[in-house]
Short mmCIF file of all heavy atoms in Angstrom, two decimals:
data_model
loop_
_atom_site.label_atom_id
_atom_site.label_comp_id
_atom_site.label_asym_id
_atom_site.label_seq_id
_atom_site.Cartn_x
_atom_site.Cartn_y
_atom_site.Cartn_z
N SER A 16 16.36 6.14 1.39
CA SER A 16 17.00 7.42 1.66
C SER A 16 17.96 7.34 2.83
O SER A 16 18.92 8.10 2.91
CB SER A 16 15.94 8.50 1.94
OG SER A 16 15.27 8.22 3.15
N LEU A 17 17.72 6.39 3.75
CA LEU A 17 18.62 6.21 4.88
C LEU A 17 19.87 5.43 4.49
O LEU A 17 20.77 5.25 5.30
CB LEU A 17 17.90 5.50 6.03
CG LEU A 17 16.82 6.30 6.75
CD1 LEU A 17 16.14 5.43 7.80
CD2 LEU A 17 17.39 7.55 7.39
N GLY A 18 19.91 4.92 3.29
CA GLY A 18 21.11 4.24 2.82
C GLY A 18 21.12 2.75 3.06
O GLY A 18 22.17 2.11 3.01
N SER A 19 19.96 2.15 3.33
CA SER A 19 19.93 0.71 3.53
C SER A 19 20.27 0.00 2.22
O SER A 19 19.64 0.25 1.19
CB SER A 19 18.54 0.26 4.00
OG SER A 19 18.46 -1.14 4.04
N PRO A 20 21.27 -0.90 2.23
CA PRO A 20 21.64 -1.58 0.99
C PRO A 20 20.61 -2.60 0.54
O PRO A 20 20.62 -3.03 -0.61
CB PRO A 20 22.97 -2.26 1.35
CG PRO A 20 22.89 -2.48 2.83
CD PRO A 20 22.13 -1.30 3.35
N ASN A 21 19.73 -3.00 1.45
CA ASN A 21 18.77 -4.03 1.10
C ASN A 21 17.42 -3.72 1.75
O ASN A 21 16.98 -4.42 2.65
CB ASN A 21 19.28 -5.41 1.57
CG ASN A 21 18.36 -6.54 1.14
OD1 ASN A 21 17.66 -6.44 0.14
ND2 ASN A 21 18.35 -7.61 1.90
N PRO A 22 16.77 -2.63 1.33
CA PRO A 22 15.49 -2.28 1.96
C PRO A 22 14.43 -3.32 1.69
O PRO A 22 14.43 -3.99 0.65
CB PRO A 22 15.14 -0.94 1.30
CG PRO A 22 15.86 -0.96 -0.01
CD PRO A 22 17.13 -1.73 0.23
N VAL A 23 13.55 -3.49 2.66
CA VAL A 23 12.46 -4.45 2.54
C VAL A 23 11.15 -3.68 2.48
O VAL A 23 10.90 -2.79 3.29
CB VAL A 23 12.46 -5.39 3.77
CG1 VAL A 23 11.28 -6.34 3.69
CG2 VAL A 23 13.76 -6.17 3.84
N ALA A 24 10.32 -3.99 1.49
CA ALA A 24 9.04 -3.31 1.37
C ALA A 24 8.18 -3.61 2.60
O ALA A 24 8.07 -4.76 3.03
CB ALA A 24 8.33 -3.76 0.09
N LEU A 25 7.58 -2.58 3.16
CA LEU A 25 6.79 -2.72 4.37
C LEU A 25 5.34 -2.41 4.08
O LEU A 25 5.01 -1.68 3.15
CB LEU A 25 7.31 -1.78 5.46
CG LEU A 25 8.78 -1.94 5.86
CD1 LEU A 25 9.16 -0.85 6.85
CD2 LEU A 25 9.03 -3.32 6.43
N VAL A 26 4.47 -2.95 4.91
CA VAL A 26 3.05 -2.64 4.83
C VAL A 26 2.62 -2.07 6.17
O VAL A 26 3.38 -2.07 7.14
CB VAL A 26 2.23 -3.90 4.49
CG1 VAL A 26 2.62 -4.44 3.12
CG2 VAL A 26 2.42 -4.97 5.56
N ALA A 27 1.40 -1.57 6.24
CA ALA A 27 0.90 -0.98 7.48
C ALA A 27 1.02 -1.98 8.62
O ALA A 27 0.66 -3.15 8.48
CB ALA A 27 -0.55 -0.55 7.30
N GLY A 28 1.56 -1.52 9.75
CA GLY A 28 1.74 -2.38 10.91
C GLY A 28 3.15 -2.91 11.06
O GLY A 28 3.52 -3.39 12.12
N ASP A 29 3.94 -2.88 9.96
CA ASP A 29 5.33 -3.31 10.05
C ASP A 29 6.19 -2.20 10.66
O ASP A 29 5.77 -1.04 10.76
CB ASP A 29 5.87 -3.65 8.66
CG ASP A 29 5.38 -5.00 8.17
OD1 ASP A 29 4.83 -5.74 9.00
OD2 ASP A 29 5.54 -5.30 6.97
N CYS A 30 7.39 -2.56 11.08
CA CYS A 30 8.33 -1.59 11.62
C CYS A 30 9.61 -1.66 10.80
O CYS A 30 9.74 -2.48 9.90
CB CYS A 30 8.62 -1.85 13.10
SG CYS A 30 9.24 -3.50 13.43
N TYR A 31 10.57 -0.77 11.10
CA TYR A 31 11.72 -0.66 10.22
C TYR A 31 13.06 -0.71 10.95
O TYR A 31 13.96 0.06 10.64
CB TYR A 31 11.64 0.63 9.41
CG TYR A 31 11.69 1.89 10.23
CD1 TYR A 31 12.91 2.55 10.45
CD2 TYR A 31 10.55 2.41 10.80
CE1 TYR A 31 12.97 3.69 11.22
CE2 TYR A 31 10.61 3.55 11.57
CZ TYR A 31 11.80 4.20 11.78
OH TYR A 31 11.86 5.32 12.54
N PRO A 32 13.28 -1.57 11.93
CA PRO A 32 14.63 -1.65 12.49
C PRO A 32 15.61 -2.19 11.46
O PRO A 32 15.24 -2.94 10.56
CB PRO A 32 14.47 -2.62 13.66
CG PRO A 32 13.31 -3.49 13.28
CD PRO A 32 12.38 -2.56 12.52
N MET A 33 16.88 -1.78 11.62
CA MET A 33 17.92 -2.25 10.73
C MET A 33 19.03 -2.89 11.54
O MET A 33 19.22 -2.55 12.70
CB MET A 33 18.47 -1.10 9.89
CG MET A 33 17.47 -0.57 8.87
SD MET A 33 18.17 0.69 7.79
CE MET A 33 17.75 2.16 8.70
N ASP A 34 19.76 -3.78 10.92
CA ASP A 34 20.85 -4.42 11.62
C ASP A 34 22.10 -3.53 11.59
O ASP A 34 22.05 -2.39 11.14
CB ASP A 34 21.12 -5.82 11.05
CG ASP A 34 21.57 -5.77 9.59
OD1 ASP A 34 22.00 -4.70 9.13
OD2 ASP A 34 21.49 -6.82 8.93
N ALA A 35 23.21 -4.07 12.08
CA ALA A 35 24.42 -3.26 12.21
C ALA A 35 24.94 -2.77 10.86
O ALA A 35 25.66 -1.77 10.79
CB ALA A 35 25.51 -4.05 12.93
N THR A 36 24.57 -3.44 9.77
CA THR A 36 25.00 -2.99 8.44
C THR A 36 23.94 -2.11 7.78
O THR A 36 24.03 -1.81 6.60
CB THR A 36 25.28 -4.21 7.54
OG1 THR A 36 24.06 -4.93 7.33
CG2 THR A 36 26.32 -5.12 8.15
N PHE A 37 22.92 -1.72 8.56
CA PHE A 37 21.82 -0.90 8.08
C PHE A 37 21.04 -1.58 6.97
O PHE A 37 20.57 -0.95 6.03
CB PHE A 37 22.31 0.49 7.65
CG PHE A 37 22.78 1.30 8.81
CD1 PHE A 37 24.13 1.34 9.12
CD2 PHE A 37 21.88 1.97 9.62
CE1 PHE A 37 24.58 2.06 10.22
CE2 PHE A 37 22.32 2.70 10.72
CZ PHE A 37 23.67 2.75 11.02
N THR A 38 20.92 -2.91 7.08
CA THR A 38 20.03 -3.67 6.22
C THR A 38 18.71 -3.83 6.97
O THR A 38 18.69 -4.30 8.10
CB THR A 38 20.61 -5.06 5.89
OG1 THR A 38 21.84 -4.89 5.19
CG2 THR A 38 19.63 -5.86 5.05
N SER A 39 17.61 -3.41 6.34
CA SER A 39 16.33 -3.47 7.02
C SER A 39 15.92 -4.91 7.28
O SER A 39 16.18 -5.80 6.49
CB SER A 39 15.27 -2.74 6.19
OG SER A 39 15.25 -3.24 4.88
N ILE A 40 15.28 -5.13 8.41
CA ILE A 40 14.85 -6.46 8.81
C ILE A 40 13.39 -6.40 9.24
O ILE A 40 12.92 -5.40 9.77
CB ILE A 40 15.72 -7.01 9.96
CG1 ILE A 40 15.73 -6.04 11.14
CG2 ILE A 40 17.13 -7.30 9.51
CD1 ILE A 40 16.50 -6.52 12.34
N LYS A 41 12.67 -7.49 9.00
CA LYS A 41 11.26 -7.54 9.38
C LYS A 41 11.01 -8.52 10.50
O LYS A 41 10.00 -8.45 11.18
CB LYS A 41 10.40 -7.90 8.16
CG LYS A 41 10.36 -6.84 7.08
CD LYS A 41 9.42 -7.21 5.95
CE LYS A 41 7.97 -7.27 6.42
NZ LYS A 41 7.03 -7.48 5.30
N ASP A 42 11.92 -9.47 10.71
CA ASP A 42 11.71 -10.45 11.76
C ASP A 42 11.88 -9.79 13.13
O ASP A 42 12.64 -8.84 13.28
CB ASP A 42 12.71 -11.60 11.63
CG ASP A 42 12.48 -12.40 10.36
OD1 ASP A 42 11.32 -12.45 9.90
OD2 ASP A 42 13.47 -12.96 9.82
N PRO A 43 11.18 -10.29 14.15
CA PRO A 43 11.34 -9.74 15.51
C PRO A 43 12.80 -9.80 15.96
O PRO A 43 13.53 -10.75 15.66
CB PRO A 43 10.45 -10.64 16.36
CG PRO A 43 9.46 -11.22 15.40
CD PRO A 43 10.19 -11.37 14.10
N LEU A 44 13.22 -8.79 16.67
CA LEU A 44 14.60 -8.71 17.16
C LEU A 44 14.76 -9.60 18.38
O LEU A 44 14.03 -9.45 19.37
CB LEU A 44 14.95 -7.26 17.50
CG LEU A 44 16.36 -7.02 18.03
CD1 LEU A 44 17.40 -7.36 16.97
CD2 LEU A 44 16.51 -5.57 18.48
N ASP A 45 15.69 -10.52 18.33
CA ASP A 45 15.98 -11.41 19.45
C ASP A 45 17.17 -10.82 20.21
O ASP A 45 18.31 -10.87 19.75
CB ASP A 45 16.30 -12.81 18.95
CG ASP A 45 16.49 -13.81 20.09
OD1 ASP A 45 16.21 -13.44 21.25
OD2 ASP A 45 16.94 -14.94 19.82
N ASN A 46 16.91 -10.25 21.38
CA ASN A 46 17.95 -9.54 22.12
C ASN A 46 17.89 -9.96 23.59
O ASN A 46 17.46 -9.19 24.45
CB ASN A 46 17.75 -8.02 21.98
CG ASN A 46 19.01 -7.25 22.31
OD1 ASN A 46 20.06 -7.83 22.51
ND2 ASN A 46 18.88 -5.93 22.39
N PRO A 47 18.32 -11.18 23.91
CA PRO A 47 18.15 -11.70 25.29
C PRO A 47 19.11 -11.02 26.27
O PRO A 47 20.18 -10.53 25.90
CB PRO A 47 18.48 -13.18 25.13
CG PRO A 47 19.43 -13.23 23.98
CD PRO A 47 18.97 -12.16 23.03
N LEU A 48 18.70 -10.99 27.52
CA LEU A 48 19.54 -10.48 28.61
C LEU A 48 19.45 -11.50 29.74
O LEU A 48 18.46 -11.57 30.46
CB LEU A 48 19.06 -9.11 29.07
CG LEU A 48 19.83 -8.48 30.24
CD1 LEU A 48 21.30 -8.30 29.88
CD2 LEU A 48 19.22 -7.15 30.65
N ASP A 49 20.48 -12.32 29.86
CA ASP A 49 20.50 -13.42 30.83
C ASP A 49 21.51 -13.08 31.92
O ASP A 49 22.72 -13.08 31.68
CB ASP A 49 20.85 -14.73 30.13
CG ASP A 49 20.79 -15.92 31.08
OD1 ASP A 49 20.29 -15.75 32.21
OD2 ASP A 49 21.25 -17.01 30.69
N GLU A 50 21.04 -12.78 33.11
CA GLU A 50 21.91 -12.37 34.21
C GLU A 50 21.48 -13.04 35.51
O GLU A 50 20.33 -13.46 35.67
CB GLU A 50 21.89 -10.85 34.40
CG GLU A 50 22.41 -10.06 33.22
CD GLU A 50 22.40 -8.57 33.46
OE1 GLU A 50 21.38 -8.08 33.97
OE2 GLU A 50 23.40 -7.90 33.17
#
Side-chain angles (χ1 to χ4, degrees):
S16 67
L17 291 176
S19 173
N21 184 26
V23 177
L25 302 175
V26 297
D29 283 348
C30 57
Y31 64 94
M33 291 185 268
D34 63 18
T36 64
F37 292 97
T38 299
S39 53
I40 55 177
K41 293 184 65 174
D42 294 331
L44 179 64
D45 185 9
N46 199 8
L48 178 60
D49 184 10
E50 297 182 314

